[in-house]
Amino acid sequence: MSKRKPITLDTVVRGIIALAIIGVCIWLIHILSGVLLPFCVACLIAYILDPVVDFQQRTLRLRHRVIPVFLTLIEAAVIFGGIAYFIVPSAIDEFSQLQLLVKNTSPEDLIPSFIPVSLREYLLNYLSVDNLLQSMNGTRLEAVLNKSTDVLTATVDFLLHTIEWLLTFIYVIFILIDYKRIMRGFRLAVPPKFRKRTYPILDNIKTNMDVYFRSQAVIAACAAVFYCIGFSIVGLPMAIVMGIIVGVLYMIPYFQYITLIPVAIICFVTSQTGSFEFWPEFGKCLAVYVVSQCICDYILTPKIMGKTLGMNPAIILLSLSVWGTLLGIIGMIIALPVTALLISYYKQYVLAPDTDSQ
């Protein structure tokens, strides 16, 4: 029978101090989220690209990582530039056609007849052609900026935010060059007397992150391709744009379904031209979601990720809400692997002693 250490005043004080430090760290991350977000995005990009850099370093048999890093970034820029070259013009054309369609459609046609009269009148006032076009053209945002009491301050803030995101590219370069050294530094930062117990935890964290982030990125890219093809086949306007948006949101579980709202709006607005009916077209789009989701969940995920994180959907949604509230977008991205890791160690270090003692 395993004996547990008695809870003393010193243990309680240490626990309170540890919780206070964690709380302060979370508070600082929340306050500095605007500054930390570009850095965290750079870390995520570097984390995903590191295997490519390692592969090119081994292939070219180079001792240093500078040349493989720049080769990787150039290749990534060429790939994304080529994708943008083929996608952006068609996306702009489809968006312009949708703008023209909205301009030529009366607000009465945009609101179904089953909407209550009071709500219908409110929507008629809100969904005027001028309001819709201003929203799509961004003139409302420009008007808000023009009303700013200090144009110089707004300009400086814009420049600072632009510089922050330009620094993301520089962050990626330096993180990739010193990636191995940074990882070793994290391990050496652990005090020697705690290394024997901490290193297995760090290795487990690395394994979970490898399985989740890189695998999820590959699955999200495949999902974007499936949705782009599916939306194009069913004839949805802005098919490529919506497919890419679904693929990006696929990095956060269940968030791809948020795009059902804009898809329904696009189907409804386009149906007013008489080219197709709303419900059949929206049904085809739902079929695209069902087929693509089945392929990703039952074929790609077991093959690429090996196995799911094994969490109940309610736990997944709760973890997204909690971590999203604490850390914003960063928290939602890391919510699943961190929660799975916490559950794993809860079972191992909290529940396991009880099992052993029985």
Side-chain angles (χ1 to χ4, degrees):
M1 180 181 294
S2 61
K3 296 182 179 179
R4 293 186 178 182
K5 295 182 179 180
I7 299 177
T8 62
L9 179 62
D10 181 66
T11 305
V12 174
V13 172
R14 288 175 181 270
I16 293 174
I17 293 175
L19 291 176
I21 293 175
I22 294 174
V24 170
C25 292
I26 293 175
W27 177 75
L28 287 175
I29 292 174
H30 179 72
I31 295 297
L32 300 174
S33 59
V35 178
L36 293 176
L37 184 58
F39 179 76
C40 292
V41 171
C43 291
L44 182 59
I45 295 174
Y47 184 79
I48 294 173
L49 293 180
D50 180 66
V52 182
V53 176
D54 287 341
F55 173 77
Q56 297 197 109
Q57 186 178 10
R58 291 193 304 268
T59 303
L60 299 175
R61 297 181 180 179
L62 295 175
R63 182 178 179 181
H64 300 287
R65 291 168 57 92
V66 177
I67 295 177
V69 165
F70 280 98
L71 284 176
T72 302
L73 293 177
I74 291 172
E75 292 166 358
V78 170
I79 293 173
F80 285 103
I83 294 173
Y85 177 79
F86 290 104
I87 290 176
V88 171
S90 62
I92 294 176
D93 181 63
E94 290 179 346
F95 190 72
S96 301
Q97 293 178 5
L98 191 61
Q99 279 185 306
L100 183 62
L101 179 62
V102 172
K103 185 176 181 180
N104 295 331
T105 304
S106 63
E108 291 82 0
D109 295 334
L110 292 176
I111 304 175
S113 58
F114 57 81
I115 297 294
V117 177
S118 58
L119 181 58
R120 184 181 179 87
E121 291 178 354
Y122 170 78
L123 293 175
L124 284 174
N125 293 327
Y126 182 77
L127 293 176
S128 64
V129 174
D130 293 336
N131 286 338
L132 289 174
L133 291 178
Q134 283 180 0
S135 300
M136 298 177 73
N137 289 325
T139 55
R140 178 166 295 178
L141 177 61
E142 183 179 356
V144 172
L145 293 177
N146 290 334
K147 292 179 182 178
S148 176
T149 56
D150 193 350
V151 178
L152 180 61
T153 302
T155 304
V156 171
D157 290 340
F158 174 77
L159 291 175
L160 289 176
H161 282 88
T162 304
I163 292 173
E164 287 178 2
W165 285 105
L166 288 177
L167 284 175
T168 302
F169 180 72
I170 300 175
Y171 287 148
V172 171
I173 295 176
F174 287 114
I175 292 173
L176 281 175
I177 291 175
D178 289 332
Y179 189 84
K180 304 301 180 184
R181 189 181 303 174
I182 293 172
M183 292 297 103
R184 287 196 298 269
F186 280 125
R187 296 177 70 89
L188 294 176
V190 179
K193 63 179 181 178
F194 296 114
R195 289 177 182 175
K196 183 177 180 181
R197 187 165 185 173
T198 305
Y199 279 176
I201 298 177
L202 295 178
D203 293 336
N204 199 352
I205 292 175
K206 183 179 183 300
T207 302
N208 278 274
M209 295 300 179
D210 287 345
V211 170
Y212 181 75
F213 284 117
R214 290 171 182 161
S215 302
Q216 191 71 7
V218 174
I219 296 172
C222 295
V225 174
F226 295 150
Y227 279 98
C228 288
I229 295 174
F231 288 151
S232 299
I233 292 175
V234 301
L236 178 72
M238 300 181 66
I240 304 299
V241 175
M242 293 307 305
I244 293 176
I245 293 175
V246 174
V248 172
L249 292 178
Y250 209 92
M251 288 295 296
I252 303 175
Y254 302 121
F255 262 58
Q256 66 270 25
Y257 297 117
I258 294 178
T259 55
L260 282 169
I261 298 174
V263 166
I265 294 174
I266 292 174
C267 289
F268 182 76
V269 172
T270 310
S271 66
Q272 302 306 310
T273 61
S275 56
F276 55 74
E277 295 183 1
F278 168 73
W279 288 112
E281 183 67 18
F282 187 60
K284 294 177 184 178
C285 293
L286 290 178
V288 172
Y289 277 90
V290 172
V291 173
S292 301
Q293 198 67 31
C294 289
I295 294 175
C296 292
D297 288 348
Y298 299 110
I299 298 178
L300 293 182
T301 298
K303 294 291 183 181
I304 297 176
M305 194 172 288
K307 60 179 180 179
T308 59
L309 295 174
M311 287 191 291
N312 186 278
I315 301 298
I316 293 176
L317 294 175
L318 178 62
S319 66
L320 290 173
S321 301
V322 172
W323 290 103
T325 303
L326 293 176
L327 303 177
I329 297 177
I330 300 173
M332 297 182 75
I333 293 175
I334 67 172
L336 258 66
V338 172
T339 303
L341 194 65
L342 292 176
I343 293 175
S344 174
Y345 282 99
Y346 175 78
K347 293 179 179 179
Q348 182 175 352
Y349 292 107
V350 178
L351 299 182
D354 292 338
T355 304
D356 296 337
S357 62
Q358 290 178 354

